[in-house]
Amino acid sequence: MKRMIFVCLVVVGCGDDRAAPIDAAPGDAPEVDAGPLSPAELVEIAKLSPLPAVPADPTNAFADDPKVAALGQMLFFDKSYSGGLAVADDGTNGGLGAAGNTGKVACASCHAAGSDAMDDQRTRPNNVSLGTNYGTRNALGVVNSAFYKWTNWGGRFDSQWSLPLAVAENASIMKSTRLEIAHMLFAKYRTEYDAIFPVALDPALDPTAADAARFPPAGKPKAAAAADGPWELMAAGDRDIVNRIFANYGKAMQAYLRKLVSRDAPFDRFVAGDSRAISAAAVRGLKTFLASCVTCHSGPRFADDEFHAIGVPQTGPRVPAVDTGRFQDVPGLLGSPFNTNGVFSDDVTTGRLTGLAQDASQTGQFRTKSLRNLMSGPFMHSGQLATLEDVVAFYDAGGGTPPAGGTKDPRIQPLGLSTQARADLVEFLQTLSGTPVPAPLLTDTSK
C-alpha cells in the first residue's frame, strides 16, 4: 500500500507550509520537485514510520493475555511489598517518606508511564533515580519499552519480564524479596493469580496454615560467600515453587507494559501525508538527523538495538565514578536463572543469547535509546544531560571519552553544526512524541 509523502516547497522562514504530494511506496525513491528533501532522504524517511505492532515474546506465554495485563497493572502500582527507605524525604530530593518507612516504593515511583505530570522519581533528583536509596543509573521510561530487544541500559536482561525480578530485590530500588512477593500475591491477588496461571498459589503461603513454615515471610538467594539464610534453608522443591511464582510476577508485569504504546507522533503524520504536522524548522532538523544520527537511531523505533561507547562522562550528583555498561551487565544476564535460556522461559529456542559472552570491547557501551517519546529529562544512562539541547551539543562535540579499556564508536565524530542546526534538530526530536497512553492504563488499580 502506498503512502503520501509531502515535500515542503517553501523557502525556510517564509511561514507558508504549502507542500507538494509525492506518491511513494515504502522503499521506493519517489520523483520530487525542488524542495528541501531529496529522493534519497525520502527513501530513508519512509523507513522511520509508522511504528509497527509490538513484537511477540514467545518466552512469556502470557504476554498478551488481558487478564494477566490487568494483574500486572495492579502490581506496577503496588507499593506494599517494598522495604525500608534508606533515604528520607527532605522536601527537595523526591524521597518517598521517612527513613525506615516500608511500603513506599512501586515500579511507578521511578518509571514514567505516560505523562510528564506524573510525580516521577526518575526526574527527581535529576541524575540517578531514587527508590529506597539512590541507584547508579537513570530509570528509563516505560512507554514503547516493549519494542526493545534488550532491557536496561546495559542489556542486563534479555526479556522484559525478567527485569522486574531484579528490580524488586535490589536493595536500592524496592528492597523486597521473592518470598515477600509470593506472600503478597497470596494475600492480595490470590483470586487473580489462580484464575490465570496453571498452578495455583500454594496454600502453605497462608501464614495460618499448618505447614506455613515451609515459606518464611521473607528471603532471597544469599550473596556470594554469605552465610545461609531463610532461602537456603528451604526445601529445594519449595524454592522451585517460589521461583515460579516470582517469574509469573514478572510475566504479569510485562503483559501490562506491552500495553503502554504511543503512536501517531507528528512525525508519523508528516510521513503519512500531513505536510503541516511538523514545522519547517523540524524538517531542517530531520535533514540533519538523516545526515548525522540515523545510523544508530534507525527504523521506526529510532533505535538499532545495539550497544555503543560514546563516552558520556560519569559526572553529576551520586553518579558512580565508573560504569562499564554492557561489560559489567553481561555476566549477570548469562548467570541468571531467569534468562531466556532458563527453565522459567516459555521458549528456550529464541537464540537471544547465542554467542554472547563478556568481552573487553563492551566496556563503556550502552544501549541505543529510542528517540520516540522523549518526554522529559534528564537524559543518558545516569541522567548526566539535563535537556535535549545538552544532548545535541554533546553529540555535536563528538561525544566524550569512554572508561579505561573502552573504545569510542568510530561513528561518533564532531558534527560542526551551527547554532540554528542544533536548534532545528531539537525541534525535530520534539515531533517524535505520540499520543498519550490511555488514561485507564495509568490508573492505580492496586489493592
Side-chain angles (χ1 to χ4, degrees), residues 97-128:
N101 283 174
T102 61
K104 294 294 184 179
V105 184
C107 297
S109 301
C110 288
H111 293 281
S115 171
D116 274 344
M118 292 186 70
D119 186 17
D120 167 22
Q121 305 308 309
R122 184 176 61 90
T123 60
R124 301 169 60 208
N126 294 323
N127 280 106
V128 297

Short mmCIF file of all heavy atoms in Angstrom, two decimals, residues 97-128:
data_model
loop_
_atom_site.label_atom_id
_atom_site.label_comp_id
_atom_site.label_asym_id
_atom_site.label_seq_id
_atom_site.Cartn_x
_atom_site.Cartn_y
_atom_site.Cartn_z
N GLY A 97 9.35 9.21 51.89
CA GLY A 97 8.90 9.09 53.26
C GLY A 97 10.06 9.20 54.23
O GLY A 97 11.18 9.58 53.85
N ALA A 98 9.81 8.88 55.47
CA ALA A 98 10.85 8.92 56.48
C ALA A 98 11.74 7.69 56.38
O ALA A 98 11.31 6.63 55.92
CB ALA A 98 10.21 8.98 57.87
N ALA A 99 12.97 7.85 56.81
CA ALA A 99 13.89 6.71 56.79
C ALA A 99 13.30 5.55 57.58
O ALA A 99 12.78 5.72 58.67
CB ALA A 99 15.24 7.13 57.37
N GLY A 100 13.39 4.37 57.00
CA GLY A 100 12.85 3.17 57.63
C GLY A 100 11.44 2.84 57.24
O GLY A 100 10.99 1.70 57.45
N ASN A 101 10.69 3.80 56.67
CA ASN A 101 9.32 3.51 56.22
C ASN A 101 9.33 2.40 55.19
O ASN A 101 10.18 2.36 54.29
CB ASN A 101 8.69 4.74 55.59
CG ASN A 101 8.21 5.77 56.58
OD1 ASN A 101 7.77 6.84 56.18
ND2 ASN A 101 8.28 5.48 57.87
N THR A 102 8.38 1.50 55.28
CA THR A 102 8.22 0.44 54.28
C THR A 102 6.95 0.70 53.48
O THR A 102 6.11 1.52 53.85
CB THR A 102 8.14 -0.94 54.95
OG1 THR A 102 7.01 -0.98 55.82
CG2 THR A 102 9.41 -1.24 55.74
N GLY A 103 6.82 -0.02 52.37
CA GLY A 103 5.62 0.11 51.55
C GLY A 103 5.47 1.46 50.88
O GLY A 103 4.35 1.96 50.72
N LYS A 104 6.60 2.06 50.47
CA LYS A 104 6.55 3.40 49.88
C LYS A 104 6.95 3.45 48.41
O LYS A 104 6.77 4.47 47.75
CB LYS A 104 7.49 4.33 50.66
CG LYS A 104 7.07 4.57 52.10
CD LYS A 104 5.76 5.34 52.17
CE LYS A 104 5.38 5.67 53.61
NZ LYS A 104 4.11 6.43 53.67
N VAL A 105 7.51 2.37 47.87
CA VAL A 105 8.06 2.39 46.51
C VAL A 105 7.33 1.39 45.63
O VAL A 105 7.23 0.21 45.97
CB VAL A 105 9.57 2.07 46.51
CG1 VAL A 105 10.13 2.21 45.09
CG2 VAL A 105 10.32 2.98 47.48
N ALA A 106 6.83 1.85 44.51
CA ALA A 106 6.26 1.00 43.47
C ALA A 106 7.08 1.14 42.21
O ALA A 106 7.91 2.05 42.08
CB ALA A 106 4.80 1.39 43.20
N CYS A 107 6.85 0.27 41.26
CA CYS A 107 7.50 0.44 39.95
C CYS A 107 7.18 1.82 39.38
O CYS A 107 8.04 2.47 38.78
CB CYS A 107 7.03 -0.64 38.98
SG CYS A 107 7.44 -2.32 39.48
N ALA A 108 5.94 2.26 39.58
CA ALA A 108 5.50 3.56 39.06
C ALA A 108 6.25 4.71 39.70
O ALA A 108 6.23 5.83 39.18
CB ALA A 108 4.00 3.73 39.28
N SER A 109 6.92 4.48 40.83
CA SER A 109 7.64 5.56 41.50
C SER A 109 8.82 6.06 40.69
O SER A 109 9.21 7.22 40.79
CB SER A 109 8.13 5.09 42.88
OG SER A 109 7.06 4.69 43.70
N CYS A 110 9.41 5.18 39.90
CA CYS A 110 10.61 5.54 39.15
C CYS A 110 10.41 5.55 37.63
O CYS A 110 11.23 6.11 36.92
CB CYS A 110 11.76 4.59 39.47
SG CYS A 110 12.45 4.79 41.12
N HIS A 111 9.35 4.93 37.15
CA HIS A 111 9.18 4.80 35.70
C HIS A 111 7.95 5.56 35.24
O HIS A 111 6.81 5.18 35.53
CB HIS A 111 9.04 3.32 35.31
CG HIS A 111 10.28 2.54 35.54
ND1 HIS A 111 11.35 2.57 34.69
CD2 HIS A 111 10.64 1.72 36.56
CE1 HIS A 111 12.31 1.79 35.15
NE2 HIS A 111 11.91 1.26 36.29
N ALA A 112 8.18 6.63 34.50
CA ALA A 112 7.07 7.39 33.95
C ALA A 112 6.28 6.50 33.02
O ALA A 112 6.83 5.88 32.12
CB ALA A 112 7.57 8.61 33.19
N ALA A 113 4.98 6.45 33.20
CA ALA A 113 4.15 5.56 32.39
C ALA A 113 3.31 6.31 31.38
O ALA A 113 2.33 5.79 30.89
CB ALA A 113 3.25 4.73 33.30
N GLY A 114 3.67 7.56 31.08
CA GLY A 114 2.94 8.19 30.00
C GLY A 114 2.67 9.66 30.12
O GLY A 114 2.07 10.24 29.24
N SER A 115 3.13 10.32 31.17
CA SER A 115 2.81 11.72 31.32
C SER A 115 3.91 12.46 32.04
O SER A 115 4.42 12.00 33.06
CB SER A 115 1.50 11.89 32.09
OG SER A 115 1.27 13.25 32.41
N ASP A 116 4.27 13.64 31.53
CA ASP A 116 5.22 14.50 32.23
C ASP A 116 4.72 14.86 33.62
O ASP A 116 5.49 15.12 34.52
CB ASP A 116 5.42 15.80 31.44
CG ASP A 116 6.48 15.66 30.37
OD1 ASP A 116 7.25 14.70 30.42
OD2 ASP A 116 6.53 16.53 29.48
N ALA A 117 3.40 14.90 33.77
CA ALA A 117 2.81 15.38 35.01
C ALA A 117 2.92 14.37 36.15
O ALA A 117 2.67 14.72 37.31
CB ALA A 117 1.35 15.74 34.79
N MET A 118 3.26 13.12 35.85
CA MET A 118 3.38 12.14 36.91
C MET A 118 4.49 12.52 37.87
O MET A 118 5.52 13.07 37.47
CB MET A 118 3.66 10.75 36.33
CG MET A 118 2.51 10.16 35.54
SD MET A 118 2.83 8.47 35.04
CE MET A 118 2.74 7.62 36.60
N ASP A 119 4.30 12.28 39.16
CA ASP A 119 5.33 12.54 40.15
C ASP A 119 6.40 11.47 39.99
O ASP A 119 6.36 10.42 40.61
CB ASP A 119 4.73 12.51 41.55
CG ASP A 119 5.74 12.93 42.62
OD1 ASP A 119 6.76 13.52 42.25
OD2 ASP A 119 5.50 12.64 43.80
N ASP A 120 7.36 11.76 39.17
CA ASP A 120 8.25 10.75 38.61
C ASP A 120 9.64 10.86 39.23
O ASP A 120 10.37 11.80 38.95
CB ASP A 120 8.27 10.96 37.09
CG ASP A 120 9.37 10.19 36.38
OD1 ASP A 120 9.86 9.21 36.94
OD2 ASP A 120 9.73 10.61 35.29
N GLN A 121 10.00 9.90 40.07
CA GLN A 121 11.29 9.95 40.74
C GLN A 121 12.45 9.84 39.75
O GLN A 121 13.59 10.13 40.09
CB GLN A 121 11.38 8.83 41.78
CG GLN A 121 10.25 8.83 42.78
CD GLN A 121 10.05 10.17 43.45
OE1 GLN A 121 11.01 10.73 43.95
NE2 GLN A 121 8.85 10.69 43.44
N ARG A 122 12.16 9.42 38.54
CA ARG A 122 13.21 9.37 37.52
C ARG A 122 13.78 10.76 37.27
O ARG A 122 14.96 10.91 36.95
CB ARG A 122 12.61 8.79 36.23
CG ARG A 122 13.61 8.58 35.11
CD ARG A 122 12.93 7.91 33.93
NE ARG A 122 11.84 8.72 33.41
CZ ARG A 122 11.99 9.64 32.45
NH1 ARG A 122 13.16 9.86 31.93
NH2 ARG A 122 10.96 10.32 32.03
N THR A 123 12.97 11.79 37.38
CA THR A 123 13.45 13.15 37.11
C THR A 123 13.66 13.95 38.39
O THR A 123 13.98 15.12 38.33
CB THR A 123 12.44 13.89 36.21
OG1 THR A 123 11.18 13.95 36.87
CG2 THR A 123 12.29 13.20 34.88
N ARG A 124 13.45 13.36 39.51
CA ARG A 124 13.76 13.97 40.79
C ARG A 124 14.54 12.94 41.58
O ARG A 124 13.95 11.98 42.03
CB ARG A 124 12.47 14.33 41.55
CG ARG A 124 11.55 15.29 40.85
CD ARG A 124 10.20 15.36 41.55
NE ARG A 124 10.35 15.80 42.93
CZ ARG A 124 9.52 15.47 43.92
NH1 ARG A 124 8.50 14.65 43.68
NH2 ARG A 124 9.69 15.92 45.12
N PRO A 125 15.82 12.99 41.69
CA PRO A 125 16.72 14.12 41.85
C PRO A 125 17.56 14.50 40.64
O PRO A 125 18.63 15.09 40.80
CB PRO A 125 17.62 13.65 42.98
CG PRO A 125 17.75 12.18 42.73
CD PRO A 125 16.44 11.75 42.17
N ASN A 126 17.15 14.15 39.44
CA ASN A 126 17.75 14.66 38.21
C ASN A 126 19.07 14.02 37.80
O ASN A 126 19.72 14.50 36.89
CB ASN A 126 17.91 16.18 38.24
CG ASN A 126 16.57 16.87 38.27
OD1 ASN A 126 15.63 16.42 37.63
ND2 ASN A 126 16.47 17.96 39.01
N ASN A 127 19.49 12.99 38.41
CA ASN A 127 20.60 12.19 37.90
C ASN A 127 20.22 10.73 38.08
O ASN A 127 19.37 10.24 37.38
CB ASN A 127 21.93 12.54 38.60
CG ASN A 127 22.57 13.79 38.06
OD1 ASN A 127 22.55 14.83 38.69
ND2 ASN A 127 23.12 13.71 36.85
N VAL A 128 20.84 10.05 39.01
CA VAL A 128 20.44 8.67 39.27
C VAL A 128 19.09 8.66 39.97
O VAL A 128 18.72 9.59 40.67
CB VAL A 128 21.50 7.95 40.12
CG1 VAL A 128 22.81 7.88 39.36
CG2 VAL A 128 21.69 8.61 41.48
#
